[in-house]
Amino acid sequence: ALLDWFYKNHRILPFRTDPSPYHVWLSEIMLQQTRVSAALPYYERFLAALPDIPALAACEEEKLHKLWEGLGYYSRVRNLQKAARIVCEQYGGQLPADYDALRALPGIGDYTAGAILPGSGDYTAGAVASISFGIPVPAVDGNVLRVFSRLYNDPAAVTEPAVKKAFTARVMEHQPPDAPGDYNQALMELGALVCVPNGAPLCEKCPLAHLCAARAAGTALELPRKAAPKPRRLQPVTLALLESPAGFLLQQRPQKGLLAGLWQPVLWEGEALAAGEVLARLQAMGGPCPPAGHGAGYRHRRAGSAARCKAHLQPHRVAYERHPAACARPRCSGRLRLGQPGSFAGGVYPARCV
């Protein structure tokens, strides 16, 4: 019943029309934390620029980041390229038709993928292995966990590793060995279109409604359950926005950590600095030294606190101060540059930045 429903009702998507390993891999990485409708333009643009794994492996870093700009979680695309280079070196530029070999690639199945988005690693390897190579392995994402939580009326927290392992075993109990990719996609599609995450599930359209224990018990809206999220860590942030006819002064973030390597206005995390302290810092770092009496605008933004999570800094209780200043061209390291409004010198910037 599930596969029949899928064949009649599935969405027509480019990575289903052409489920080559590279296409499925790229789509699954993009669709982590991103809706299908939002990801499709990026997917098509990315493939037009980098049509195969060797092209991805050879791509210049800033161009690669520019193609990804707007999707967030830039570690995904950095790991995508790391994996592509390994595939070129070890497998002749083609993804291996081996589940364990896929899991060993950066960002696909190892700890790195799970660290970026917990639980995403084995799923991505399973999706590529089952859809592109027909290997009978699971591909359990949030949609599948929701379907099985309701199907079995199971109140266990699906965010717990032991619970996900148990659900994965249930998924495999029903997987037809001759159609593992279609089965995995059918479960994902059922969760995306019918057993939806927000609002009431569309039980009258569900091919598994007669088997659903949560529907029978009237508990579908309560499931799945998740562990309580960890509280966000608050920290002060100070930002300096310096502008001159030559452009805005931008600073490159460190190559490791939050939003690694991206460009932003000059920013100090963990400190709420007064205007005088900001001017002293700018002078010390060898950048524009704003003297008094000049007409160009220097704006100092001091955030009382900011909520820091994995993907972004979210401003909270922000105050502004204005001071007269002049913004000269930076006289310091390559981590500073000037960018014109609207272009910002071709750099890549966080989608959400304080």
Side-chain angles (χ1 to χ4, degrees), residues 334-352:
R335 290 189 62 229
L336 291 177
R337 64 160 55 161
L338 288 167
Q340 291 291 340
S343 66
F344 287 101
V348 182
Y349 311 93
R352 294 185 66 177

Side-chain angles (χ1 to χ4, degrees), residues 43-318:
Y43 173 84
E44 292 167 352
R45 184 180 67 176
F46 197 99
L47 277 183
L50 306 174
D52 52 34
I53 292 176
L56 169 60
C59 184
E60 189 270 331
E61 182 181 65
E62 191 158 299
K63 176 184 176 181
L64 184 69
H65 285 182
K66 200 68 180 177
L67 288 168
W68 201 265
E69 188 175 25
L71 284 172
Y73 292 97
Y74 283 84
S75 293
R76 291 184 295 175
V77 75
R78 285 191 288 271
N79 281 323
L80 198 70
Q81 186 173 61
K82 287 179 186 177
R85 289 172 175 169
I86 293 172
V87 169
C88 287
E89 292 170 2
Q90 298 184 11
Y91 302 106
Q94 299 295 323
L95 282 170
D98 182 278
Y99 181 56
D100 290 331
L102 290 170
R103 293 180 71 242
L105 293 171
I108 294 184
D110 63 358
Y111 169 79
T112 305
I116 300 167
L117 297 167
S120 65
D122 288 346
Y123 163 75
T124 305
V128 176
S130 63
I131 297 170
S132 296
F133 297 119
I135 299 172
V137 291
V140 178
D141 67 352
N143 286 323
V144 178
L145 289 172
R146 183 169 57 257
V147 168
F148 271 76
S149 177
R150 290 170 175 170
L151 195 61
Y152 284 84
N153 194 28
D154 192 328
V158 297
T159 47
E160 297 295 333
V163 174
K164 182 178 178 183
K165 184 177 181 180
F167 275 47
T168 300
R170 289 175 177 172
V171 168
M172 290 303 292
E173 289 174 6
H174 304 283
Q175 186 185 82
D178 58 337
D182 288 349
Y183 170 77
N184 286 340
Q185 291 184 91
L187 288 174
M188 299 176 216
E189 199 77 335
L190 188 67
L193 302 181
V194 176
C195 200
V196 293
N198 300 312
L202 307 177
C203 297
E204 68 281 359
K205 297 182 179 180
C206 181
L208 304 179
H210 62 291
L211 301 173
C212 184
R215 180 173 183 259
T219 57
L221 284 174
E222 302 170 17
L223 300 172
R225 292 182 181 170
K226 300 179 181 180
K230 295 180 180 179
R232 288 184 175 182
R233 176 166 60 90
L234 297 180
Q235 67 173 359
V237 174
T238 303
L239 180 146
L241 185 63
L242 292 97
E243 181 182 10
S244 78
F248 289 91
L249 182 67
L250 302 173
Q251 174 191 55
Q252 189 175 30
R253 295 184 64 86
Q255 292 302 316
K256 293 184 178 180
L258 181 71
L259 303 171
L262 304 189
W263 292 86
Q264 64 185 17
V266 179
L267 172 68
W268 293 272
E269 295 177 27
E271 299 179 276
L273 303 175
E277 294 174 295
V278 172
L279 294 178
R281 294 281 183 96
L282 290 170
Q283 291 172 347
M285 67 192 292
C289 303
H294 290 259
Y298 160 68
R299 185 166 63 186
H300 163 241
R301 170 175 174 172
R302 182 176 58 202
S305 61
R308 178 170 182 162
C309 59
K310 236 173 202 178
H312 62 270
L313 292 166
Q314 180 176 334
H316 178 58
R317 293 197 303 274
V318 175

